Amino acid sequence: MPRLRSWFLTPTAAVLLAATLAGCSTLELKQREWIFQPNPVTDTRSGSAEGMQDVWIEHDSAVSGQRVKLHGLWLPQARADAPVLLYLHGARRNIWGSTFRIRNMHELGFSVLAIDYRGFGRSSDELPSEAAVVEDARAAWDWLARSEPQRPRYVFGHSLGGAIAVQLAGAVDDARGLIVEGTFTSIPDVFRSLKWGWLPITPLITQRFDSTEHIRRVRAPVLVVHGSEDRLIRPELGRALFEQAGVPKRFVLVQGGTHYSTNGVGQALYRDALRELFGLAGS
């Protein structure tokens, strides 16, 4: 969830209070802009997505009342029985900025589908909300169920995407496992962990992403991964989320991993955890 810290600092706290005085609708829209920082820019020239196939997923949104078109990237394995992973990215960076993690998860043996929520990349141009991105994730999950009905399916989320993944995994009964990295218990808890966390604005937060509540509903095994040097989302928040999950579960602290490097630095630890928790041998 890059740059989440920036909107929680004192100037934004003042804006939150001002927006409250201006009206609830203004507050709602501003929070959605600050939290998601939707990024419609795509970079197809870098070659970072080489070998990945474009996927389009359409669904009727109960949240917006509109037809939503989601763009995704599909990176399959050669093995017909390879497990399938739904990759959910964090704020600001769309799937074009997440291709290195997509490849890392592919190297661990998964066929990977990564999607952009509405407002991101080439997906429908609409300001996201908590309810909307969870709806988009569910549409992608259902697409995978139709496309790969015989394969075991897992859901992965990084940062804010971890909170989305937790909600999805808590709502479906066919996930073989939940994997989250660099994520948190709730947006209010993230704010409280920051320098200005003493300011009394948490009741004003509308996009709360209360993963503590949702992870209790997850029946699949849970793997929580965090970098020891994550300065954006503190490791204590990942550990606290892990404590609320049911068993079986595992917490992996990647020494030296930051919010952005943990996935690569921790590949060996990932491989061990996938084998021990999910019984996956990798590629």
Side-chain angles (χ1 to χ4, degrees), residues 28 31 33 68 82 242:
E28 170 79 10
Q31 286 191 45
E33 292 173 2
V68 173
F242 167 78

Side-chain angles (χ1 to χ4, degrees), residues 24-93:
C24 292
S25 61
T26 301
L27 175 63
E28 170 79 10
L29 290 174
K30 286 299 181 185
Q31 286 191 45
R32 288 162 62 184
E33 292 173 2
W34 292 327
I35 289 177
F36 292 100
Q37 300 174 62
N39 183 356
V41 178
T42 60
D43 182 8
T44 59
R45 298 169 299 173
S46 67
S48 64
E50 184 177 355
M52 301 182 189
Q53 304 165 18
D54 289 315
V55 168
W56 295 97
I57 300 169
E58 296 189 45
H59 69 99
D60 293 317
S61 172
V63 174
S64 67
Q66 303 294 322
R67 185 77 172 170
V68 173
K69 189 174 185 179
L70 305 176
H71 175 245
L73 292 174
W74 170 243
L75 185 59
Q77 290 282 347
R79 290 171 40 219
D81 62 342
V84 177
L85 185 78
L86 175 61
Y87 178 100
L88 301 171
H89 66 71
R92 191 168 69 93
R93 291 190 180 185

Side-chain angles (χ1 to χ4, degrees), residues 265-283:
V265 173
Q267 278 284 284
L269 295 175
Y270 257 107
R271 196 175 298 277
D272 290 344
L274 293 175
R275 182 180 62 253
E276 295 171 9
L277 186 60
F278 304 122
L280 297 176
S283 56

Side-chain angles (χ1 to χ4, degrees), residues 132-206:
V133 295
V134 172
E135 187 181 62
D136 291 345
R138 180 60 184 266
W141 185 258
D142 292 344
W143 183 91
L144 272 180
R146 294 191 300 271
S147 301
E148 307 291 338
Q150 304 304 319
R151 298 202 198 184
R153 296 186 300 281
Y154 296 77
V155 57
F156 170 92
H158 175 255
S159 197
L160 184 63
I164 301 168
V166 168
Q167 289 200 40
L168 174 63
V172 301
D173 58 8
D174 56 349
R176 289 289 188 91
L178 167 66
I179 308 166
V180 295
E181 178 187 318
T183 196
F184 50 83
T185 46
S186 71
I187 292 289
D189 286 346
V190 173
F191 173 74
R192 294 187 192 101
S193 75
L194 304 177
K195 179 179 178 181
W196 301 99
W198 56 269
L199 288 169
I201 68 170
T202 53
L204 306 178
I205 298 173
T206 62

Side-chain angles (χ1 to χ4, degrees), residues 227-249:
S228 67
E229 303 306 312
D230 192 333
R231 303 299 185 216
L232 190 61
I233 305 297
R234 294 183 181 177
E236 306 91 90
L237 294 176
R239 169 65 77 170
L241 181 64
F242 167 78
E243 296 294 344
Q244 296 300 317
V247 293
K249 60 183 176 180

